[in-house]
Amino acid sequence: MSKKALLLAALFVLVLFRVPALAASPSPSAGGAATFAHAWTSYSDKEKKSFLFGLATAARAICSDLSTFQKDAKPQEIESHFRDCFNTYAGMEPDRVIAAINALYADSKNAMIPIDGAYRIALMQVRGDKVDEIIIQSRKYGEGLKKQLEQQHKGQ
């Protein structure tokens, strides 16, 4: 349950960052539709770092709350739970995470992977995890989002 709450809160934070960037920035692609890759690449390096620090702050706040609400937990258990929670959702070495997101979005096939998904993939890559299958699934999800957005746009 705690991971679901953390994920929902992180997605809420990401939607706040992502939606205005997509709405305001038309893509230079041939189709003319905005993409998450275009939104990300339009950010300055300072904005990208601010985005990561915002995510880390949100993860810290949520993980702190989730860790301290454990009844009958010893201080070392609370600290361990917090560390596990935070390390799952917050990045290390922002420059490496940013470089991994930049590399992911350099492939046009990944343009519609939402920024929160690109962030998670980048964290996994920096940690040395295999992400090929996750990228394939994220592309499918992104294409589904693209279709939904196109349908909503046609309905307006």
Side-chain angles (χ1 to χ4, degrees), residues 37 62 80 85 102:
I62 292 168
S80 175
C85 176
N102 290 343

Side-chain angles (χ1 to χ4, degrees), residues 146-156:
K146 182 178 179 178
K147 288 177 185 175
Q148 286 179 352
L149 291 171
E150 288 170 351
Q151 289 174 350
Q152 288 176 0
H153 186 68
K154 287 178 184 178
Q156 292 179 350

